[in-house]
Amino acid sequence: MTEATQQRLGRMLVRAGVIDDLQLAEAMSGASGRSLPAVLEELGYATETRVAQALAEQMGLAFIDVGSYDVDPNVAVLVPQELMRKHLVMPIREENGELVVAMADPANIFAIDDLRIVTRKEIRAVVAVESELSIAIDRFTTSQTNVGEMLGDLEDSVRVSEGEDEADLGSNSAVAKLMNQIVTDAIRQGAGDIYIEPGEAEMRIRFRIDGVCQEMFTAPKRMQRQLISRLKITSNMDISERRIPLDGRFGVVLDGKSVDFRVATLPLVHGELAVLRLLRKDSIMMSLRDLGFLEQNMQRLLAALALPYGAILVTGPTGSGKSTTLYAAINETNDPKTNLITVEDPVEYRLSGLSQVHVNEKAGLTFAAALRSILRQDPDKVMIGEIRDKETGTIAIEAALTGHLVLSTLHTNDAPSALTRLTEMGIEPFLSASAITLVVAQRLARRLCSECKEEYTPDETALARVNFPFEPGRPPRLFRARGCKKCNGIGYKGRMGIHEVMSMSETLERLTVESASADEIARQAISEGMLTLREDGFSKVLAGQTSIEEILRVVV
């Protein structure tokens, strides 16, 4: 700060009652090129935080703790590093078309004008502690420099002939460092998937966080082949094969937590697409009660799991948490006295204490073949990753009828459709009706951020339009997403299950044997007390756990 700026800040602190005139004079005499807030803290007259808060109050601006604030990297890169350091400013987020900028001196009109010119956006200043802001700028610019150097080194390394583009892929190479950076960021940000996508002119990196894709950065197109090749080496895939889809996996340990990565590549027009699924072992050690089941649905599921035989099916689209629910069910029922074997493609989570079979169709070890073999091992419980065809389904259903508890997944939109889907596969309806004890359909919805969720009274017309249950003239108080530093301005943090649990009854068995439609089965199940996916979701909206908009996004 210039001497004039220091004097202006000092007079403001005197007016705010933080210091008096004598203390200001003493601090100014000892400043001589040093920051006034730092001198005041050294003298014991006021902390830097108190100075910044007083400045914010005097100017009618917000104060933020920039040290713990999750800065939006897509916004921070809008301002050159030199300009950040020159004016001690840092963009932290974009809100309502304005760029929110943390500043140590929000009265610096020259800094605000420079920011407006560079970003072409309106600027809204917030106040931050000077020393913390300086550290935050250093941390961010260092991180950007590291990624920039990786990209620069990688760009240099790919300036080789077409046949030599995998020349330098060692663990210390630029491409390896970039891969490590991507993996580390994904784990720490709680991503579920990483997408490395080839475009016509550039490569794009996206993370799927809480079920929603977010673009992280782009890189020159010529870097894409080396990055994919490095990924293939790490995942034990054929580096020379680019014409067909490939699968692989690898594992890392970060911050004391073990994470497995399931990798799949797919040849596209502009190169190979790579998708990395993050499999966190701690996520499958959850109990059923951690998954968001309502008490009614939980009791139905526990009753089915307590039976020594029968089939329990979990349905839903890809990425709806079916495997997590199956493993939670296993955790609920598994004990040393029972023999439990799983058949999966692939084995997503490798756990001790379980006998897990990895399907290998090229070698002839299909779901059906594996299931036939493991039934000779005298299992008490069998988990089948997915029922895909008539043969697998028939063996699973027959196993459930002959004294085994069978858990499996099926791709259908709701619980009643599971019965008609098995019939369409060619499985006799009377077998399905006798074997199946419970069907769970599920989706994953984002939880509202507990720090910033906003209470409001919804419009009755809007509630009626989506069939939300309420008493006319007395709309409920609900919550909606707002956004804060804890949730990166999204308004949601974490996910929860939305469930539809259908217990088989004599009437439902009869309808199944008669090949009734899914709609007829659904009507009967609802009359017997089944909550639909939407009803389950709306009950969680009423509980303040999520929003109407989120339920409508994930449930038809």
Side-chain angles (χ1 to χ4, degrees):
M1 292 183 183
T2 65
E3 185 176 349
T5 301
Q6 304 251 58
Q7 284 283 3
R8 174 168 44 80
L9 173 59
R11 299 312 307 169
M12 198 176 292
L13 294 174
V14 171
R15 288 196 301 272
V18 176
I19 57 175
D20 58 31
D21 288 314
L22 290 177
Q23 291 171 334
L24 173 59
E26 183 183 352
M28 287 299 295
S29 65
S32 61
R34 298 170 62 200
S35 163
L36 178 61
V39 174
L40 288 171
E41 182 159 25
E42 185 179 295
L43 293 171
Y45 294 151
T47 64
E48 284 192 86
T49 300
R50 180 69 187 100
V51 169
Q53 289 173 338
L55 177 60
E57 290 168 6
Q58 288 289 303
M59 299 188 67
L61 301 174
F63 168 79
I64 68 159
D65 178 6
V66 74
S68 61
Y69 196 91
D70 293 325
V71 176
D72 184 346
N74 295 322
V75 169
V77 296
L78 296 176
V79 176
Q81 298 176 15
E82 299 78 14
L83 196 60
M84 284 194 205
R85 296 183 189 278
K86 176 184 176 182
H87 295 305
L88 210 57
V89 298
M90 187 173 188
I92 57 173
R93 69 176 185 274
E94 191 170 357
E95 194 172 86
N96 300 325
E98 294 180 317
L99 193 64
V100 181
V101 181
M103 304 180 69
D105 181 15
N108 188 342
I109 58 174
F110 300 106
I112 292 175
D113 284 342
D114 285 349
L115 290 169
R116 189 180 289 116
I117 292 169
V118 168
T119 63
R120 297 181 181 179
K121 296 179 182 292
E122 286 302 311
I123 306 300
R124 189 195 335 151
V126 295
V127 183
V129 174
E130 183 175 340
S131 60
E132 293 183 359
L133 183 56
S134 181
I135 292 170
I137 292 172
D138 286 342
R139 186 187 302 121
F140 176 76
T141 54
T142 299
S143 173
Q144 290 298 110
T145 300
N146 288 341
V147 173
E149 287 175 353
M150 289 179 205
L151 293 175
D153 292 345
L154 182 54
E155 195 168 357
D156 290 338
S157 71
V158 297
R159 290 196 180 104
V160 292
S161 66
E162 183 70 16
E164 298 173 330
D165 60 345
E166 284 83 42
D168 182 15
L169 295 173
S171 60
N172 293 319
S173 66
V175 67
K177 292 176 181 177
L178 180 59
M179 190 71 247
N180 292 343
Q181 184 74 40
I182 292 171
V183 166
T184 299
D185 288 349
I187 294 173
R188 288 182 172 159
Q189 293 186 41
D193 299 280
I194 302 171
Y195 298 88
I196 303 175
E197 302 170 308
E200 185 175 1
E202 62 184 12
M203 170 183 67
R204 180 172 65 167
I205 307 297
R206 292 194 296 166
F207 294 168
R208 185 182 292 277
I209 301 174
D210 289 338
V212 178
C213 288
Q214 300 178 28
E215 183 173 320
M216 306 314 293
F217 66 89
T218 59
K221 168 71 174 177
R222 55 183 174 273
M223 301 179 185
Q224 190 259 341
R225 285 183 65 172
Q226 273 212 343
L227 190 61
I228 295 296
S229 295
R230 174 64 200 177
L231 181 60
K232 287 181 176 179
I233 291 172
T234 306
S235 308
N236 293 316
M237 297 156 69
D238 185 354
I239 190 174
S240 64
E241 183 57 77
R242 301 190 182 98
R243 300 165 300 173
I244 59 174
L246 299 173
D247 295 295
R249 67 185 301 142
F250 65 93
V252 301
V253 177
L254 182 67
D255 300 332
K257 295 182 179 180
S258 177
V259 182
D260 286 338
F261 287 77
R262 194 177 77 197
V263 184
T265 64
L266 179 68
L268 303 182
V269 173
H270 298 299
E272 287 181 280
L273 164 69
V275 180
L276 291 73
R277 169 68 58 87
L278 281 72
L279 307 170
R280 294 174 173 81
K281 291 187 178 179
D282 55 350
S283 69
I284 53 145
M285 300 313 293
M286 301 169 69
S287 71
L288 286 171
R289 298 187 184 279
D290 296 327
L291 301 181
F293 280 94
L294 296 179
E295 189 59 30
Q296 169 188 328
N297 290 337
M298 172 65 72
Q299 293 308 317
R300 289 187 174 196
L301 179 53
L302 291 176
L305 288 169
L307 295 174
Y309 56 85
I312 299 174
L313 302 180
V314 182
T315 74
T318 301
S320 60
K322 298 187 297 296
S323 295
T324 300
T325 299
L326 283 183
Y327 276 109
I330 287 174
N331 292 335
E332 192 77 33
T333 62
N334 195 28
D335 64 72
K337 298 178 182 178
T338 59
N339 181 20
L340 194 154
I341 303 178
T342 74
V343 187
E344 305 167 70
D345 182 22
V347 175
E348 292 190 347
Y349 302 98
R350 299 178 182 181
L351 302 176
S352 59
L354 291 183
S355 300
Q356 295 175 280
V357 179
H358 182 99
V359 168
N360 186 344
E361 295 194 0
K362 290 182 179 178
L365 185 60
T366 62
F367 271 111
L371 193 51
R372 281 195 212 93
S373 298
I374 66 175
L375 290 177
R376 302 188 193 108
Q377 309 300 319
D378 192 27
D380 299 293
K381 302 170 186 176
V382 179
M383 189 191 96
I384 306 167
E386 181 185 348
I387 294 178
R388 297 179 179 175
D389 51 46
K390 176 184 178 181
E391 188 176 14
T392 305
T394 300
I395 298 171
I397 293 298
E398 289 176 348
L401 289 171
T402 55
H404 303 87
L405 181 63
V406 178
L407 297 90
S408 188
T409 70
L410 197 64
H411 281 99
T412 63
N413 288 328
D414 55 22
S417 297
L419 300 173
T420 56
R421 174 73 181 122
L422 291 174
T423 302
E424 290 168 1
M425 282 184 179
I427 299 170
E428 293 294 341
F430 70 89
L431 292 176
S432 300
S434 302
I436 295 173
T437 56
L438 188 90
V439 183
V440 179
Q442 74 175 57
R443 301 290 189 276
L444 289 177
R446 294 178 294 174
R447 290 182 184 271
L448 284 168
C449 173
S450 59
E451 296 290 329
C452 68
K453 63 182 182 181
E454 183 178 60
E455 191 173 11
Y456 75 108
T457 302
D459 179 69
E460 290 193 26
T461 305
L463 292 177
R465 190 181 306 122
V466 297
N467 295 321
F468 192 92
F470 72 100
E471 185 178 336
R474 299 181 62 185
R477 296 285 291 171
L478 304 179
F479 290 87
R480 60 189 172 194
R482 190 177 66 183
C484 68
K485 64 181 181 181
K486 296 291 185 182
C487 60
N488 290 324
I490 297 172
Y492 297 93
K493 194 169 183 65
R495 290 195 286 180
M496 62 189 298
I498 306 298
H499 305 99
E500 182 176 273
V501 180
M502 184 180 74
S503 297
M504 290 297 286
S505 64
E506 290 185 7
T507 306
L508 291 175
E509 288 181 16
R510 178 176 54 76
L511 288 173
T512 304
V513 171
E514 294 172 355
S515 298
S517 68
D519 288 340
E520 291 176 282
I521 295 173
R523 282 193 292 271
Q524 179 59 34
I526 291 170
S527 71
E528 294 177 3
M530 181 188 79
L531 295 176
T532 65
L533 284 166
R534 180 170 287 203
E535 289 170 341
D536 186 271
F538 283 164
S539 69
K540 287 161 185 173
V541 172
L542 286 169
Q545 296 174 324
T546 188
S547 66
I548 289 180
E549 293 78 11
E550 181 65 8
I551 296 302
L552 296 179
R553 183 182 72 86
V554 300
V555 178
V556 177

